[in-house]
Amino acid sequence: MLEQAKVNISFEFRQVRERTEAICENLSAEDCNLQAMPDTSPLKWHLAHTTWFFETFILKPFSQQYRVFDASFQVLFNSYYNGIGKQHPRPQRHLLSRPGLPEVMDYRCHVNRAMTALLEGSQHPQQREIVRRLELGLNHEQQHQELMLTDLKFNFAANPLAPAYRQDPLPEAVPADSGFEFYAGGLVEIGQTEDEGFGFDNEQPSHKTWLEPFALARGLVTTGDYKAFIADGGYRRPELWLSDGWATVQAENWTQPLYWDLEADEASVFTLHGRQPLRDDHPVCHLSYFEADAYARWKGARLPTEEEWEHAARLSIGSGSQADAGARRAALQPVGSEPRKGLQDLFGQVWQWTSSAYRAYPRYQPAPGALGEYNGKFMCNQFVLRGSSCATAAGHSRSSYRNFFYAPDRWQFTGLRLARDAMPGPD
Amino acid sequence: MLEQAKVNISFEFRQVRERTEAICENLSAEDCNLQAMPDTSPLKWHLAHTTWFFETFILKPFSQQYRVFDASFQVLFNSYYNGIGKQHPRPQRHLLSRPGLPEVMDYRCHVNRAMTALLEGSQHPQQREIVRRLELGLNHEQQHQELMLTDLKFNFAANPLAPAYRQDPLPEAVPADSGFEFYAGGLVEIGQTEDEGFGFDNEQPSHKTWLEPFALARGLVTTGDYKAFIADGGYRRPELWLSDGWATVQAENWTQPLYWDLEADEASVFTLHGRQPLRDDHPVCHLSYFEADAYARWKGARLPTEEEWEHAARLSIGSGSQADAGARRAALQPVGSEPRKGLQDLFGQVWQWTSSAYRAYPRYQPAPGALGEYNGKFMCNQFVLRGSSCATAAGHSRSSYRNFFYAPDRWQFTGLRLARDAMPGPD
Amino acid sequence: MLEQAKVNISFEFRQVRERTEAICENLSAEDCNLQAMPDTSPLKWHLAHTTWFFETFILKPFSQQYRVFDASFQVLFNSYYNGIGKQHPRPQRHLLSRPGLPEVMDYRCHVNRAMTALLEGSQHPQQREIVRRLELGLNHEQQHQELMLTDLKFNFAANPLAPAYRQDPLPEAVPADSGFEFYAGGLVEIGQTEDEGFGFDNEQPSHKTWLEPFALARGLVTTGDYKAFIADGGYRRPELWLSDGWATVQAENWTQPLYWDLEADEASVFTLHGRQPLRDDHPVCHLSYFEADAYARWKGARLPTEEEWEHAARLSIGSGSQADAGARRAALQPVGSEPRKGLQDLFGQVWQWTSSAYRAYPRYQPAPGALGEYNGKFMCNQFVLRGSSCATAAGHSRSSYRNFFYAPDRWQFTGLRLARDAMPGPD
Amino acid sequence: MLEQAKVNISFEFRQVRERTEAICENLSAEDCNLQAMPDTSPLKWHLAHTTWFFETFILKPFSQQYRVFDASFQVLFNSYYNGIGKQHPRPQRHLLSRPGLPEVMDYRCHVNRAMTALLEGSQHPQQREIVRRLELGLNHEQQHQELMLTDLKFNFAANPLAPAYRQDPLPEAVPADSGFEFYAGGLVEIGQTEDEGFGFDNEQPSHKTWLEPFALARGLVTTGDYKAFIADGGYRRPELWLSDGWATVQAENWTQPLYWDLEADEASVFTLHGRQPLRDDHPVCHLSYFEADAYARWKGARLPTEEEWEHAARLSIGSGSQADAGARRAALQPVGSEPRKGLQDLFGQVWQWTSSAYRAYPRYQPAPGALGEYNGKFMCNQFVLRGSSCATAAGHSRSSYRNFFYAPDRWQFTGLRLARDAMPGPD
């Protein structure tokens, strides 16, 4: 690797690592140790676990001079890698007042120094594998950056004081275009090809799939749209719900999305800016799969499959390109007789539930060893979400990206885009 | 409808109904009211619910002279049709000592008489819809015939006396061929076409799908095969399991399939014939999806997708033909250079887990009204099983049939057939 | 033992045994196998367990020629005697469709014959111990006779058809006298003395206790009284409840006694006669300790201690005498200057919660061996009830009797009588 | 009130308050926000709640110029006073990262200043009630001082790093005398009399009770004693346990006291000094009522009643005197013919379980208003402990003190002293 490449990669490493710490800037050590449900980890734990990832998968195997910071961290900050060994129980992460936040920050420094030395040092015989794992580690850390925000939001929401994490002005919503874009379908390629840069193993291999003609809504479903569903008895009509969904609605007494309060004088929603008035023109957010599915049924539409979504997204933004929040208005239009408005908000607003169960692509092979546990073992009982959200790290969005959560999960920034069957067109 | 057709259909109705009652022939009223877990219903409840189905969906809407047997049964024996109204809670079905078994048998007679009168009477203006619902009702009752056996088995297994339901000789296992059959894949048609006779709405519509080349094991995985997995630490090695599967293994302390007892001096298994020695040459049975998946991974293979299974089954037994236990050795061979042995035990032994999440086929439309709840609302978090089992009613098996259960479920007659990726062949 | 004594004792044995069977006379085998919660056993189980008691504690140790009916029953029908061995799990008693009801009746006959032979046969070297255990066994069976009725009531109440067990006319309530009787207290004797006939070990030994002056209500609290408590917000006012009681009210959403339905057009209550209009003049029944305690607090009164109750009862009905439902109006008056009306309904209506935690009397010694488990090991976290109920077997009531249940239990025939502190009188 | 009295009382107030803060001296904000089970509150919450007590019950009602620190604290730091209003749910106290520890310390200062002004200011018309409540508030805070240590210990024990709270040398155990002291019993006075200084309402009123002759062990049961019980199969023999106790042993898989580790190479115990070798001569600690009761039964002894304990303690240390850890060797001997060694370790080592259910003394009256919730509403399903522990605040021990916990609770410093029945002596 050339010296410049080393400098670049080391710079990128530091940038991602600093961004993680910046998230905690205005938080106290107590804030960083909250865990309001087993699914949400303390931010301190995220800070340590992302560090553990580099220590475990790069420094320990590849750096001879590396000295382990604290041997007990191997268990404490292992998330779910059985191949590495035991794990501190997830629901008890908030019980780790020791190591304290300052010690965890020291841990980050210690690992950062060792990583920088490794990355900027003389050529390593396994340089290629190191860079591959580094890239994985940085993308892993970016995933945790989003989780830190979703977890913090959930944890703060459990405090009756409704603390505000952010003080900057609320983002404006861009009014969504109405109507649908049509796609002819046919035999298409889905999944990441080898020349498309970094991707997780679950996005691969690229493979053929057959799509019937379909249509996708140009815009996301909004808060206003969803209020109409509620007003029409959406949460009281079993015929709109999957059987498991209806059971969840009744068991959990759901009457509205997570964080909403429609009972107060002014309808409001808990946000990272504290409690705020509910705005009709924002994309609806914090829906479970069950709610997204029920809304679509009520609307006489359906959720897209993940293949439909990816195919349309590739047509909208061009194959292989990185898709960031800035690219919200796609220049490239799908083929058609009339000028098309294109799909809006594919990325950067809310993750979009698809009707696709999360499963292995044909001929999928997880990586060997413990890193093979990254994605493959979760391919069961979860649903794929596509796009990205307002909390996704910059540079972390692409058409082939597969996010996944359980059907009842609502604490992520999750919404939906409608789909419909279409007739074969003149094309 | 011609008189002969009326007689035929009425005869078929009585035959299916009598078969249901024959299942309970040697059981006491107490036996018929057992419910060892919420998933298993008392046999008396099955007897009543299948009757309720004809009363609710045919007699009430189409027979003017029909007199309801007991108005309270509308709620008591409604399984899950919210479109019909409330349901007696499933876990409390065993609390219905009233109506007693004799009264439920009277209910069956009452409905049978009214159905016969309707079927054999003068032409009805909605004859077509009546016959369509009759066909659904009979297939519905056949599904419950299998459930009665699986539920009874589970309920009896909870009794330390291990009662034997059947006294006839145990069936012999036919040694399975080894090896795999290869399939070239490509763009294939899956799902039931309109000329293939009765099918549930979830088998339709027929649609295209793309398959990569694959191979299917000729025989089912056997008890002996599975013992090797256990002996190799299968239940103690997390790397073999899906994450949710491993969590289940630990929470439930699973160390073997349901009904097995490997700890006793002689390994045994609870069956409808009581406790019996475990036979290595029988197909392994009563596995959850998690166990089937883990076994396949341990073997370096995988589960087939439901499309692979159906495609191969259609090639083996010919499109559209009814596939019964008698047809175990398929005459029709898949295309290939060498004489092929064909797939064995597609039907009549054990349901075969596929890796496919249960979901709607493209352009699937549930029936209108309450009958639309039959299948569609369960398309979430379940996995498709293909084939049929030793407990499936005669005439109730076909290549397009989609059975479905949750990943941890083990009380059905469920096993597996291995699949592998294959290289494109010379064909 | 003289011949006549043998005949008498054998006659008494048969009488108690027949009474148990008479309870099931109009019930089906399905009725007799219901278990709507772990606390309520199927009636068939009661029929078997009471038989098991004689087999285990008399026939097996003392009858040489006795042949065990079925060896598996030792575990199946053992309630809680660890000294005898394992027990079939209580919540799974309803899963025993085998042995069926006819087989259990055969078991009863088998044991009855053997018992009769033993009782009427030649003098046994351990005759004294046999008679002691026989007496215990008969009292044990009488306790189960009451449990059969309370369990059946609870089990039937779970059926939406609200089956009626009894067809005979409802008993009339006798209007209760108002006002309180006063007692001077002092150093009194509590507990059964050796000359008072049969008693359970927990009623002994007789011992001194000091009582401050107190007063007991002449009558029981009625349904009408309790409705006033509810109307005054009784179930919504935490200040009226013990902390654990209030937690239970909220967790269980209690708003009225068990079996009541105040929401219907006509207030009703589920009874052994089916659903019946609620009668203001009946004693309030099916209260938990928490509700009895809250009512008393609301009324500015309190529950009596068990010593106060026993002391007053002994003064009312005379020391040591058997107290039966017939003796509802006590002739014997407590000492006082004015003619006293006496305490009503001490026995035969509802068990009366006392404020006394169930515990060992000073110098209490449980019997040696497994029979020592009869009472002693339950002396923790339960409260003593005194008197007897409408479901108590004739001849099974006395002033020293200690019944006991957990504070939240409501399925027994439980009500209350108020108490107050009193000033020392002129006596 | 004289000026000197004002100064004294104000000094005492500051002393108690400072002692509370000193407990947290070496802890981080994260340490102070731990809550490992619903029963254990974060130390920060204790710091705030004890402050809330003075604000709610003294400053708000009696200080005109008092300005509430933060209105939301009324709910956040209310423990269980329904008379004051709603409470933040106990299991969610650890979710209150806001207010942070510094803000809670400000709250303490704010209330301390206002209290000092009130106490040192000009005579208040309700001075008497203020002083009464102040005394209650200080004793309340002392109770929380002990809870802070027990809660912290439990919270730290959940951390695999086993943090040490204290660095000072471990206390030495003083070898206990063996043998029993005998007491003649009779009609004795129990409970606090009006001239005995401060006491909680549950210690009153003083009343007569009758005691049979009994004996109390001179010393506490030790770790070594208890190891013999374990070695003799104590945790595997149902005949030694109360029924509820045995159910708990099995449900919780108890095999040893809380914090013990007998499986390691060297038997150890988690303490506030971190993990330490187990010392045979220490009093056994962290036993539930169930374990204490089972041990006593195994030993052929029993637990004392609370009245026996108090009577003996009053004879040992003199009626009414404050009993502190310093007074471990009682000078005053019970009456008897031989010189007696007296009872050791009545106070200052471990709380001693009695067999007495926690209940109201005869004629007990809770205080009016919300303060009446302090003790009375908990008189159900708990057991009385007597004495005090190594964690009890100085000056907070006395013969009439009644501590109370549920039978399965083990996280307090709880042990036992044996009792026996005795024959009436020559006295």
Side-chain angles (χ1 to χ4, degrees), chain B residues 9 13 58 261 273 329 370 405 416:
Chain B
I9 210 167
F13 173 78
I58 297 184
D261 182 0
H273 291 76
R329 289 290 175 274
F405 281 93
L416 80 153

Side-chain angles (χ1 to χ4, degrees), chain D residues 349-363:
Chain D
Q349 293 287 326
V350 293
W351 290 97
Q352 294 142 62
W353 285 108
T354 74
S355 65
S356 297
Y358 180 45
R359 56 176 293 183
Y361 283 162
R363 317 211 156 195

Side-chain angles (χ1 to χ4, degrees), chain D residues 5 21 44 59 76-77 98 125 150 158 171 174 177 236 264 306 334 344 359 389 404:
Chain D
E21 287 150 31
K44 184 177 73 177
L59 293 175
L76 291 187
F77 301 119
R98 315 281 178 98
T150 58
V174 179
D177 281 340
R236 297 188 307 272
E306 64 167 322
Q344 297 172 337
R359 56 176 293 183
S389 86
F404 49 92

